[in-house]
């Protein structure tokens, strides 16, 4: 395997190491306060807009899970990282258009943002040639506003209700239903958002007991998400520093 620290500047490597130590300390503290084992929480390094060299450096520091939200950036970055001999577990965490499904399943191990039956079916079709099922989380809308993405809890909508979407994933041979994902709605305090998500997740697991993953919380609020049961936290700026401006 290629030395994953070879292509990053020493000062950048030191920045990433410091950020990682701080994030791990926050995870440990949050788990201790919640009476949880920190081994239950997976930190996903959200590397969107950051170069492949940062991914390689993070892998060298022991980070195994990376997150991206734009296929046009992620596909090339994943290929560059693989060419360097490094194979992290890639999480696609952004809203996904159906016409990108075939591209995403070539590199992603997990898709966090399945929010419609049509997207579930597109992913199922795209996974026909995969040897391993694609892990899929259903993105849930905490506030019920479908315009911001997310399946609707308690809705019988056959296209975007939470249960119809979950069933579409569970019934697809190329997909594996592993849990739920959510983003705290704009204007909501994290405590309120993640408490509501915990209620939805409890009801969801009663129907799908094997779908125990809960992807929630970002740099500013993952401590609170852990308190409410998050198993996966998506960390960008707290780990990698201020994000470069998107162009």
């Amino acid at each position: 395997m290629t030395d994953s620290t070879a292509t990053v500047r020493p000062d950048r490597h030191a920045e990433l190491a410091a950020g990682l130590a701080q994030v791990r300390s926050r995870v440990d503290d949050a788990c201790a306060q919640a009476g949880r084992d920190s081994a239950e929480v997976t930190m996903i390094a959200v590397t969107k807009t950051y170069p492949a060299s940062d991914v390689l450096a993070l892998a060298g520091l022991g980070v195994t899970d990376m997150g991206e939200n734009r296929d046009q950036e992620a596909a090339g970055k994943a290929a560059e990282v693989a060419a360097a001999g490094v194979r992290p577990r890639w999480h696609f965490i952004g809203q996904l258009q159906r016409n990108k499904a075939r591209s995403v399943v070539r590199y992603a191990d997990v898709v966090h943002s399945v929010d419609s039956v049509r997207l579930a079916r597109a992913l199922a079709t795209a996974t026909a040639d995969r040897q391993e099922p694609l892990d899929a989380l259903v993105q849930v809308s905490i506030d019920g506003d479908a315009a911001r993405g997310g399946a609707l809890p308690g809705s019988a909508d056959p296209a975007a209700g939470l249960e119809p979407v979950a069933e579409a994933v569970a019934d697809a041979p190329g997909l594996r239903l592993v849990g739920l994902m959510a983003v705290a709605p704009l204007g909501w305090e994290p405590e309120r958002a993640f408490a509501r998500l915990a209620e939805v997740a409890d009801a969801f697991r009663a129907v799908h007991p094997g779908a125990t993953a809960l992807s929630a919380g970002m740099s500013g609020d993952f401590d609170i998400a852990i308190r409410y049961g998050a198993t996966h936290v998506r960390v960008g700026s707290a780990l990698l520093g201020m994000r470069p401006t998107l162009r």
Side-chain angles (χ1 to χ4, degrees):
M1 178 179 289
T2 300
D3 179 359
S4 59
T5 66
T7 58
V8 68
R9 304 186 320 271
D11 59 330
R12 180 57 174 159
H13 187 267
E15 290 172 0
L16 294 173
L20 179 59
Q22 291 174 356
V23 170
R24 284 176 169 165
S25 178
R26 282 178 60 188
V27 170
D28 288 344
D29 289 347
C31 286
Q33 292 176 17
R36 298 179 60 192
D37 185 340
S38 57
E40 297 174 5
V41 177
T42 298
M43 185 206 70
I44 301 167
V46 180
T47 53
K48 65 180 183 180
T49 76
Y50 295 99
S53 58
D54 279 359
V55 176
L56 296 173
L58 288 169
L61 290 165
V63 177
T64 57
D65 294 76
M66 311 291 175
E68 291 282 331
N69 75 339
R70 299 169 71 234
D71 174 64
Q72 57 266 46
E73 175 187 352
K77 190 181 300 182
E80 186 176 347
V81 169
V86 175
R87 186 63 174 88
R89 183 168 171 82
W90 287 104
H91 298 251
F92 190 86
I93 60 176
Q95 285 192 296
L96 177 58
Q97 296 176 325
R98 295 191 306 278
N99 63 1
K100 297 291 186 180
R102 192 167 297 279
S103 175
V104 167
V105 303
R106 292 193 183 106
Y107 59 86
D109 301 284
V110 191
V111 171
H112 287 232
S113 48
V114 184
D115 62 356
S116 71
V117 170
R118 294 177 72 185
L119 178 56
R121 289 173 177 164
L123 287 167
T125 299
T127 56
D129 296 330
R130 281 177 65 109
Q131 306 226 333
E132 293 291 327
L134 176 72
D135 285 351
L137 292 86
V138 178
Q139 181 176 351
V140 60
S141 172
I142 295 174
D143 61 356
D145 184 351
R148 284 203 292 266
L152 304 174
S155 171
D157 184 334
L162 176 56
E163 193 52 36
V165 176
E167 289 295 339
V169 173
D171 291 345
L175 305 179
R176 179 164 47 214
L177 177 65
V178 297
L180 297 176
M181 183 273 266
V183 177
L186 294 174
W188 282 45
E189 290 296 323
E191 190 96 18
R192 176 189 177 198
F194 297 134
R196 170 59 181 149
L197 177 60
E199 294 174 354
V200 173
D202 283 345
F204 188 76
R205 289 172 186 149
V207 180
H208 303 281
T212 58
L214 187 60
S215 173
M218 297 183 287
S219 288
D221 58 17
F222 71 74
D223 319 69
I224 300 171
I226 287 172
R227 190 189 316 157
Y228 284 97
T231 63
H232 293 69
V233 294
R234 309 179 300 269
V235 185
S237 59
L239 174 62
L240 292 115
M242 293 304 294
R243 193 174 302 285
T245 303
L246 288 172
R247 294 181 179 178

